[in-house]
Amino acid sequence: MKQFDFLVLGSGIAGLTFALKVATRGRVAIITKKNRADSNTNWAQGGIAAVTSKEDSVEMHVRDTLTAGAGLCREAVVREIVSEGPARIQELIELGTHFTEREVPNAPGRHELDLTKEGGHSKRRVLHAKDATGAEIERALLEAIARAPNIEVFENHFAIDLITAHKLGRADGNRCLGVYVFDNETGRVETFVAPVTLLATGGCGKVYLYTTNPDIATGDGVAMAYRAGAPIANMEFIQFHPTCLFHPRERTLLITEAVRGEGGRLLGADRQRFMHRYDPRLELAPRDVVARAIDSEMKRTGADNVWLDISHQPAAFITSHFPTIHERLLRLGIDMTREPIPVVPAAHYQCGGVVTNVDGETEIAGLYAVGEVACTGLHGANRLASNSLLEALVCSHRAARKVLAADWPKLQRDIPLWQSGHADDPDELVVVAHNWDEIRRLMWDYVGIVRTVKRLQRAQKRLANLQEEIQQYYWDFIVTADLLELRNIATVAGLIVQCALTRRESRGLHYLLDQPDPDPAWAQRDTVLRKAG
Ligand SMILES: Cc1cc2nc3c(=O)[nH]c(=O)nc-3n(C[C@H](O)[C@H](O)[C@H](O)COP(=O)(O)OP(=O)(O)OC[C@H]3O[C@@H](n4cnc5c(N)ncnc54)[C@H](O)[C@@H]3O)c2cc1C
């Protein structure tokens, strides 16, 4: 058994920020299922939203967030996160994060932050590090982690399940006592215990066939919290990024929103602009509007993709603003300075998650959740671009502050060891791969950008069968990372469908053809699910 003061599950912006802050007061284990930099954070391109210019204000950022959230944001939470953003950004800069700067106009030699604009923002307020903002933040945080004496990072360690007082049959209120962890190198399951556990496991893009997310994004944190009895909310709100590269060899290259922010135009199969038919804000309409417009355009014309064209801008402007995308596209034979880029929408961001307050507290004592895994009320029915890194940064700071101010209970040492199945039949393992594919395709086909009750019900039925089958495997077979992820994507897919079937209206990212308008009775009402029993 491994004993720590703090367990941090995940090494993206949320987990690393929290770990650095609590390490001043105790020993921290960061448990991460692949290499430490494998995270959605490392892939974030566009930037992080915060009020840092004189032309901008907290009120304007709050208003833009509420507008995108389509009536479901919690205004007090939005205000707290937006107000605290600038101070947390300053800390990131002091930690060594280099955001892109520009020369101040009419003041040669003086520099200021180069702010960019994305869909839904009324001002330029997105700080960025060229087009690889997340990688720069992750680099700075990981370097700080390497310098911190109290932090041990466990790579290739997969958190399987939370250990709670309820699960152990201890009646004194539900409390998180630690976590069972699968060591991918030894194949053994280890027991980690601590008075405080942070879930910072990110989102669930891999539940869908097409996604911008890296392989780690299998919704493990939501599935674990659900199994432990924590409420999960608003999983129907999955943001589809409108512009993911459409290419047979490269399926997850996101073409940042900033390309549209800097003048990129969407073209249909006939190479003509089409956004004027859908929204007066054209290419800068919020993501859900643009994604639905593209979906509709593709269905209308039968095309496999649409096109994103920024080739009218000077080549030097394009290569300096989007060096990473430009280079990756060139490797695939696409020169974005001269030709349009083929794009499709893809699952991108999970707005719902484990219910928390703005300090990351869940309903289970000792269990905190921060970042994409959590549902604080900031995003409501739709996330404003670049607000997610902001939320992770602010809430991990607040969670650390809360934890450090609390009295921790005594460590529980009498925890039973993990019990695993023993079967290991390679033929049967093919079924795992098959079920993975089946879930991702059925979610894409039946629970995508535009939904109907009939298709959702079909998905629910099929998922129930798959879940039963997977559960059987889970108990019989030796655990593997693939099997653990399969169990989690099946759980999370089920939660998305159940939330989507509960919300009989269209709002933000949830678009139901049967009820295409918002229902005022559902404004400010979350869809909350909790495991029975
Ligand atoms: C391509 C792309 C571009 C994006 N661009 C932007 C942007 O410009 N601006 C913005 O604000 N947001 C952007 N986002 C969203 C943003 O990157 C994420 O919401 C944010 O980084 C989430 O941070 P996190 O710390 O919560 O999770 P992540 O950064 O995803 O980290 C999750 C961590 O948990 C680990 N983990 C997961 N499950 C387990 C388990 N069972 N056991 C152990 N470890 C586990 C993972 O390995 C990983 O280390 C983008 C996302 C993508 C995919």
Side-chain angles (χ1 to χ4, degrees):
M1 183 184 296
K2 292 189 159 50
Q3 298 173 13
F4 286 86
D5 297 306
F6 309 99
L7 301 179
V8 175
L9 312 184
S11 54
I13 185 172
L16 298 179
T17 306
F18 177 88
L20 280 174
K21 291 184 183 238
V22 294
T24 53
R25 289 275 301 283
R27 289 179 58 239
V28 185
I30 299 180
I31 294 160
T32 189
K33 69 178 176 181
K34 294 204 167 167
N35 296 326
R36 61 192 72 198
D38 276 325
S39 59
N40 272 6
T41 300
N42 208 29
W43 287 39
Q45 295 177 349
I48 179 163
V51 176
T52 59
S53 89
K54 285 201 264 328
E55 289 83 58
D56 198 5
S57 71
V58 166
E59 272 322 301
M60 285 190 251
H61 191 174
V62 167
R63 200 180 53 218
D64 292 344
T65 304
L66 295 177
T67 305
L72 205 63
C73 304
R74 295 289 174 265
E75 187 167 341
V77 169
V78 175
R79 203 167 291 284
E80 295 211 39
I81 292 176
V82 166
S83 306
E84 229 182 89
R88 302 286 79 81
I89 293 280
Q90 189 51 39
E91 279 179 3
L92 261 191
I93 293 172
E94 282 161 17
L95 200 73
T97 311
H98 299 296
F99 290 112
T100 300
E101 295 186 340
R102 61 169 199 156
E103 202 158 88
V104 179
N106 305 320
R110 276 187 50 212
H111 287 84
E112 63 184 5
L113 287 166
D114 179 43
L115 302 176
T116 187
K117 192 170 169 187
E118 294 184 311
H121 288 277
S122 56
K123 290 285 168 193
R124 284 189 169 264
R125 68 166 69 97
V126 179
L127 289 82
H128 64 107
K130 296 223 157 66
D131 59 352
T133 310
E136 173 58 13
I137 294 174
E138 184 85 11
R139 177 201 63 75
L141 287 170
L142 282 175
E143 283 182 15
I145 293 281
R147 294 192 297 267
N150 258 350
I151 302 177
E152 205 172 329
V153 183
F154 293 85
E155 293 182 313
N156 295 310
H157 278 62
F158 191 120
I160 306 176
D161 261 323
L162 299 167
I163 304 166
T164 60
H166 268 182
K167 271 197 208 156
L168 300 186
R170 297 175 191 170
D172 49 344
N174 206 4
R175 165 166 283 282
C176 185
L177 309 172
V179 62
Y180 291 118
V181 177
F182 173 66
D183 178 341
N184 217 354
E185 274 157 18
T186 64
R188 279 208 304 270
V189 176
E190 297 180 26
T191 308
F192 282 70
V193 291
V196 172
T197 300
L198 176 79
L199 275 179
T201 46
C204 69
K206 294 297 279 190
V207 167
Y208 285 91
L209 186 59
Y210 297 106
T211 177
T212 63
N213 291 190
D215 288 347
I216 53 99
T218 50
D220 300 350
V222 166
M224 276 189 274
Y226 179 70
R227 287 193 291 268
I232 309 294
N234 294 352
M235 289 299 290
E236 68 274 37
F237 300 113
I238 299 291
Q239 187 168 62
F240 288 82
H241 196 287
T243 54
C244 185
L245 176 70
F246 178 73
H247 192 275
R249 271 194 288 134
E250 175 66 84
R251 276 174 184 249
T252 50
L253 175 55
L254 176 143
I255 312 297
T256 171
E257 187 117 26
V259 172
R260 281 178 287 128
E262 298 298 345
R265 297 163 185 162
L266 284 165
L267 310 178
D270 55 0
R271 305 290 172 116
Q272 299 298 313
R273 289 178 86 172
F274 58 81
M275 277 307 299
H276 58 277
R277 286 204 290 277
Y278 298 92
D279 195 285
R281 289 164 291 185
L282 307 176
E283 282 81 1
L284 288 182
R287 283 184 181 166
D288 59 319
V289 176
V290 179
R292 266 201 308 279
I294 295 175
D295 188 64
S296 155
E297 201 61 19
M298 283 164 51
K299 288 201 170 105
R300 192 179 68 82
T301 60
D304 288 333
N305 63 286
V306 296
W307 304 88
L308 179 59
D309 189 13
I310 193 168
S311 62
H312 50 278
Q313 294 281 26
F317 175 89
I318 297 171
T319 51
S320 73
H321 274 71
F322 309 111
T324 315
I325 299 175
H326 175 252
E327 204 185 299
R328 284 183 70 181
L329 287 174
L330 266 190
R331 272 190 252 139
L332 296 165
I334 302 164
D335 182 352
M336 70 189 284
T337 66
R338 298 156 60 109
E339 61 190 321
I341 309 161
V343 291
V344 281
H348 185 53
Y349 185 80
Q350 159 196 311
C351 291
V354 183
V355 175
T356 69
N357 61 16
V358 71
D359 295 325
E361 290 173 298
T362 71
E363 229 182 58
I364 300 178
L367 179 68
Y368 292 72
V370 171
E372 195 165 337
V373 70
C375 180
T376 60
L378 172 72
H379 306 303
N382 191 2
R383 173 188 68 134
L384 182 67
S386 289
N387 262 358
S388 39
L389 290 173
L390 173 73
E391 182 192 45
L393 190 65
V394 170
C395 293
S396 51
H397 169 85
R398 295 181 66 110
R401 198 172 56 190
K402 196 86 192 177
V403 161
L404 294 181
D407 287 332
W408 311 329
K410 260 184 45 217
L411 212 57
Q412 301 249 357
R413 293 195 173 79
D414 50 341
I415 308 267
L417 290 178
W418 173 261
Q419 299 296 327
S420 166
H422 297 290
D424 178 13
D425 180 346
D427 278 353
E428 293 293 325
L429 293 181
V430 172
V431 179
V432 174
H434 174 85
N435 286 355
W436 249 96
D437 292 346
E438 186 169 351
I439 292 173
R440 299 184 69 204
R441 177 159 288 284
L442 87 82
M443 288 300 286
W444 185 257
D445 289 343
Y446 299 154
V447 198
I449 297 172
V450 174
R451 300 158 179 180
T452 67
V453 170
K454 206 164 149 198
R455 277 188 255 153
L456 289 172
Q457 284 168 339
R458 194 173 296 157
Q460 191 173 44
K461 221 183 261 173
R462 188 63 201 123
L463 277 169
N465 289 339
L466 283 163
Q467 280 166 346
E468 205 177 301
E469 206 171 298
I470 292 163
Q471 203 54 19
Q472 193 55 46
Y473 266 84
Y474 183 70
W475 291 120
D476 292 349
F477 280 73
I478 290 172
V479 286
T480 63
D482 282 348
L483 182 55
L484 293 171
E485 285 183 341
L486 174 65
R487 180 170 79 131
N488 290 336
I489 68 161
T491 301
V492 172
L495 294 173
I496 296 171
V497 173
Q498 212 178 322
C499 282
L501 273 170
T502 308
R503 187 175 288 279
R504 294 300 175 98
E505 61 158 356
S506 291
R507 181 179 299 277
L509 299 166
H510 174 62
Y511 190 78
L512 198 60
L513 261 185
D514 316 59
Q515 271 125 329
D517 297 313
D519 176 351
W522 274 95
Q524 291 286 295
R525 221 172 116 191
D526 295 324
T527 35
V528 183
L529 303 177
R530 189 190 290 273
K531 192 165 183 257

